[in-house]
Amino acid sequence: MVFKRMMQAFGVGGPSVDTVLTNPNTYPGGFLEGQVHVVGGDHAVDIEYVAIGLTTRVEVESGDSEYQTNQEFHRQRLTGSFKLEPGVRHDVPFRFEVPWQTPITEVYGQHLTGMTMGLATELEVARAVDKSDLDTVAVHPLPAQERILKALLDLGFRFSRADVEHGRVYGVEQHLPFYQEIEFYPPGQYASGINQLELTFLPTPQKLQVVLELDKRGGVFTEGHDAFGSFDIDYATAEQIDWVARLDQWLRQSAQRRGLFF
């Protein structure tokens, strides 16, 4: 009996949890729907709660070093406490709102290198080991985000990688403790002035905030510098703008103001 209680304390023979998403694809400001299936083990247990949360990998700078950590950034508790009898299945339906500034992970059907996104399910069992489940989620761009991405590709920029960095972007409305950077290699007409272009999207329900960073090439006698710029996009009028021409103009003007020419 003592051995059996000890095994139960370590979760042996306890309940299992499995989350099934109706559709793992979503977008910033969208939602995820599905059900959490909780199945009783070989003994009755008291469930404290069932919760779900979005998790992504974040880069954190600490002094002179960097490290990566998995960070939950939006959480929803689905149940209160209940008793789960042996072998009984308890289904919990949910509709989970995705934050507007959730990083995107897919573009044109391709996964962005460097990005991870998952919906974690937590089952808190009284006086026992917690149970968890993690399901991969694909976050696609909003139409306005897609227009900017397509314009950059039309200008000849090529995807390099993407990451999520802990910290804040100056001068914009930011809701989460991190931001995404999508990095591009420049095409030939810009390559003489910059090493890479870094793009950050910070959407809100009212507008899309776009932040661009030019990583300037350093010369033999000069040190490289970064050039920043930002602008807002109205969702209602985004499709009426020639973004290829607008971005080309911004890139050239921004570079010239900082002594770059291409």
Side-chain angles (χ1 to χ4, degrees):
M1 181 61 71
V2 174
F3 178 74
K4 182 177 181 180
R5 289 177 178 172
M6 183 176 69
M7 295 298 285
Q8 291 178 4
F10 283 98
V12 178
S16 62
V17 58
D18 180 37
T19 298
V20 179
L21 291 169
T22 303
N23 185 350
N25 298 283
T26 188
Y27 52 88
F31 61 88
L32 293 164
E33 290 183 320
Q35 287 197 348
V36 178
H37 303 308
V38 184
V39 181
D42 59 14
H43 55 276
V45 294
D46 292 320
I47 305 297
E48 296 289 347
Y49 62 82
V50 178
I52 54 178
L54 272 178
T55 301
T56 190
R57 184 178 299 127
V58 178
E59 289 191 4
V60 181
E61 289 189 8
S62 179
D64 296 330
S65 63
E66 293 183 357
Y67 65 92
Q68 292 187 337
T69 182
N70 291 327
Q71 181 170 346
E72 182 182 86
F73 60 93
H74 187 56
R75 181 179 179 86
Q76 180 178 334
R77 185 174 288 208
L78 302 181
T79 74
S81 60
F82 62 94
K83 192 174 189 66
L84 185 65
E85 298 296 336
V88 172
R89 174 169 149 169
H90 186 77
D91 294 336
V92 184
F94 65 85
R95 180 183 171 95
F96 181 86
E97 293 186 357
V98 176
W100 276 90
Q101 295 183 358
T102 297
I104 62 175
T105 65
E106 317 290 320
V107 177
Y108 300 120
Q110 298 295 315
H111 181 75
L112 283 180
T113 301
M115 290 303 304
T116 64
M117 188 68 62
L119 185 70
T121 305
E122 182 182 356
L123 178 70
E124 178 77 13
V125 183
R127 300 177 299 279
V129 177
D130 297 342
K131 301 289 183 177
S132 63
D133 185 31
L134 183 66
D135 294 88
T136 299
V137 171
V139 184
H140 298 264
L142 295 165
Q145 292 174 309
E146 193 167 315
R147 290 184 181 280
I148 297 299
L149 292 167
K150 183 178 185 304
L152 288 173
L153 295 178
D154 288 345
L155 284 169
F157 285 89
R158 294 177 293 114
F159 286 118
S160 170
R161 63 184 303 275
D163 62 14
V164 178
E165 299 190 8
H166 184 271
R168 306 201 65 82
V169 180
Y170 177 76
V172 297
E173 182 181 343
Q174 185 175 341
H175 303 155
L176 299 174
F178 54 70
Y179 57 93
Q180 181 182 34
E181 283 190 344
I182 305 174
E183 300 176 3
F184 296 84
Y185 296 118
Q189 66 266 34
Y190 304 113
S192 61
I194 58 175
N195 281 320
Q196 66 180 14
L197 173 69
E198 296 176 353
L199 168 66
T200 294
F201 289 127
L202 291 165
T204 74
Q206 295 77 31
K207 61 186 178 182
L208 173 61
Q209 302 171 114
V210 181
V211 181
L212 295 171
E213 178 181 351
L214 300 177
D215 182 11
K216 176 183 174 182
R217 286 187 180 277
V220 177
F221 302 106
T222 61
E223 183 180 354
H225 298 282
D226 295 336
F228 295 89
S230 65
F231 55 89
D232 296 340
I233 298 176
D234 178 33
Y235 296 120
T237 60
E239 64 181 13
Q240 303 171 14
I241 296 173
D242 182 351
W243 287 110
V244 172
R246 181 72 61 87
L247 288 175
D248 179 66
Q249 180 185 37
W250 181 89
L251 288 168
R252 294 182 183 279
Q253 290 179 348
S254 178
Q256 289 170 10
R257 284 196 300 268
R258 292 163 176 82
L260 298 177
F261 297 94
F262 40 69

